[in-house]
Amino acid sequence: MEGDHFLIKGLEVRCILGVYNREREKPQPVRIDLGFPAVNERSEEGTYEPFVDYAKLASVVKTYVKRSKCFLMEDLAEEIAHLCLSKFPLEWVKVRLSKPFAIFGADNVSLEIQRKAK
């Protein structure tokens, strides 16, 4: 997963995420970073197809995450990766989830995964 790529950084969404009762009572902030390949060349027709509308991708991810109620960051990261790869013409996606305030004295707890399209 090398080469030129986009990075959507710090997409903040409030959702239910966690195993403890206090984490399941009300939505909490989660930050999402998404990396995916950039289009590097034009097609024979002179267009940049396929291309990824990164604003639409961010909107789709935000809508999905707002409704999610995962217990583990690992599960939510996998669901986001699957969503991106199934809804957009991507060869790969990198997903980083961060839970600010998850541990007292730390900026956040993060998980990063990379997945390829099948």
Side-chain angles (χ1 to χ4, degrees):
M1 293 177 237
E2 307 250 343
D4 298 348
H5 64 278
F6 284 102
L7 178 61
I8 298 174
K9 190 170 183 176
L11 188 64
E12 188 164 314
V13 184
R14 296 186 72 82
C15 69
I16 301 294
L17 177 61
V19 296
Y20 299 111
N21 288 338
R22 63 177 159 58
E23 295 176 304
R24 306 214 52 84
E25 291 172 358
K26 65 179 184 175
Q28 60 185 297
V30 174
R31 291 193 188 110
I32 305 163
D33 299 339
L34 300 167
F36 51 93
V39 173
N40 291 323
E41 56 189 56
R42 290 184 198 202
S43 68
E44 291 179 11
E45 295 81 30
T47 63
Y48 291 102
E49 295 290 337
F51 74 95
V52 175
D53 180 339
Y54 48 81
K56 184 175 181 181
L57 185 141
S59 177
V60 167
V61 169
K62 280 183 78 166
T63 299
Y64 182 86
V65 172
K66 281 181 188 177
R67 296 178 183 155
S68 69
K69 294 187 179 184
C70 292
F71 285 90
L72 300 175
M73 290 177 72
E74 295 91 323
D75 293 337
L76 183 56
E78 286 289 346
E79 289 178 14
I80 293 169
H82 176 73
L83 176 71
C84 291
L85 293 171
S86 66
K87 299 273 186 201
F88 297 91
L90 299 175
E91 295 174 20
W92 58 266
V93 66
K94 183 185 294 186
V95 177
R96 177 184 295 139
L97 290 181
S98 299
K99 283 178 67 174
F101 320 114
I103 296 176
F104 181 75
D107 291 337
N108 66 59
V109 173
S110 295
L111 169 72
E112 184 175 295
I113 67 168
Q114 298 178 56
R115 299 294 179 263
K116 292 182 180 180
K118 294 180 181 179

